[in-house]
Amino acid sequence: MTPERYKRLTDWLEGHPALREGIILLNRWLPLVPFVCYPVLLVLLNLRWFTMLTIGRGGGALDFMQVIARAILVPGLAFGLGTILRARLNFPRPYEQPGFVPLVSKETHGNSCPSRHALSAAVLGMVWLYFYPAVGVVMLAIAALICLLRVLSGAHFVRDVLAGAGLRAYVRLCGDVAAVRSLLQKAQKSFKFLLTEPRSYGIILLAACFDSQLQTISEPNGITTCARSSGG
């Protein structure tokens, strides 16, 4: 967006002060909604997992553990990739153009593309959509509104928010690749006996998230242990 076009927009908003103040207010507080709701989702998923253990559905609990791990890994991967990518690109902000006066003043320079607000809201909306479709639709609508607000406030170009949404789609595909699925399955097999104890939850998640070369080894006596592969 050029300074001239944006000035026409802000001039129009000056004639609609209620709308202008609403945009400023929503731009400040609406991005908090996805981040506040995400821990709520994790609590709900853990309650479902513990319920499966309580009623003796060990196999279902094992499968659901993989789903929970992916619900944590995929948003984390998206946020990390977005942070690295925008630091590498270091595109300027709209208000760094001469004569561009943003609706919401900011002091950040560069790191404009992709928008992490747009990316995070879109990714978390998709996670909600997977487990609770009705809530997911609402969260994705909020994500779309956040994208619009980031442009209207002058913090990002349209390109930046679209890049954030596009990166969300890419990371969603990465969440389904065979390598991630295989990693989680290996960790689950290695620690399957721990599922009988609720306190094993953290151990399994840590194994799934951090041990990228975990392998399952069957000993002659039938006991399953785990070892790290000696990759180059």
Side-chain angles (χ1 to χ4, degrees):
M1 183 178 294
T2 63
E4 293 76 16
R5 289 181 178 177
Y6 191 76
K7 188 177 186 306
R8 287 198 294 269
L9 172 63
T10 54
D11 288 345
W12 182 83
L13 288 174
E14 288 294 336
H16 302 79
L19 179 58
R20 180 180 181 276
E21 292 302 317
I23 291 174
I24 295 174
L25 186 65
L26 286 174
N27 181 72
R28 180 177 182 180
W29 296 110
L30 192 62
L32 296 178
V33 174
F35 295 100
V36 172
C37 292
Y38 180 58
V40 175
L41 173 62
L42 294 182
V43 169
L44 293 174
L45 296 181
N46 278 278
L47 289 176
R48 289 170 60 179
W49 183 74
F50 281 115
T51 300
M52 290 180 179
L53 289 178
T54 302
I55 63 178
R57 293 176 56 188
L62 186 67
D63 293 336
F64 199 64
M65 173 59 69
Q66 176 177 333
V67 176
I68 295 177
R70 288 172 60 188
I72 297 173
L73 283 170
V74 172
L77 175 63
F79 191 84
L81 284 178
T83 300
I84 294 172
L85 181 60
R86 75 181 203 155
R88 286 295 187 91
L89 295 175
N90 199 27
F91 286 170
R93 299 275 179 161
Y95 50 80
E96 294 184 64
Q97 303 175 85
F100 194 107
V101 181
L103 191 63
V104 178
S105 298
K106 289 180 64 69
E107 296 181 358
T108 304
H109 295 283
N111 294 331
S112 183
C113 181
S115 166
R116 281 193 306 191
H117 281 83
L119 170 62
S120 301
V123 169
L124 296 181
M126 288 301 297
V127 176
W128 272 103
L129 187 67
Y130 182 84
F131 295 102
Y132 301 96
V135 180
V137 170
V138 175
M139 298 301 292
L140 288 177
I142 291 175
L145 183 55
I146 289 173
C147 291
L148 178 61
L149 291 170
R150 300 305 288 172
V151 175
L152 293 178
S153 67
H156 288 285
F157 292 101
V158 174
R159 165 205 68 199
D160 304 335
V161 296
L162 291 180
L167 185 59
R168 182 272 305 164
Y170 173 75
V171 173
R172 176 66 181 85
L173 292 176
C174 289
D176 291 329
V177 296
V180 175
R181 187 181 301 112
S182 176
L183 161 64
L184 297 176
Q185 288 174 346
K186 287 177 181 178
Q188 289 169 348
K189 289 178 181 179
S190 299
F191 297 101
K192 185 175 180 180
F193 69 96
L194 293 173
L195 279 175
T196 58
E197 296 291 336
R199 61 176 177 269
S200 68
Y201 175 79
I203 299 174
I204 297 173
L205 268 185
L206 287 174
C209 292
F210 297 111
D211 199 345
S212 60
Q213 300 184 41
L214 196 65
Q215 289 187 340
T216 302
I217 300 175
S218 296
E219 300 292 346
N221 59 5
I223 299 176
T224 298
T225 60
C226 62
R228 187 185 300 273
S229 63
S230 56

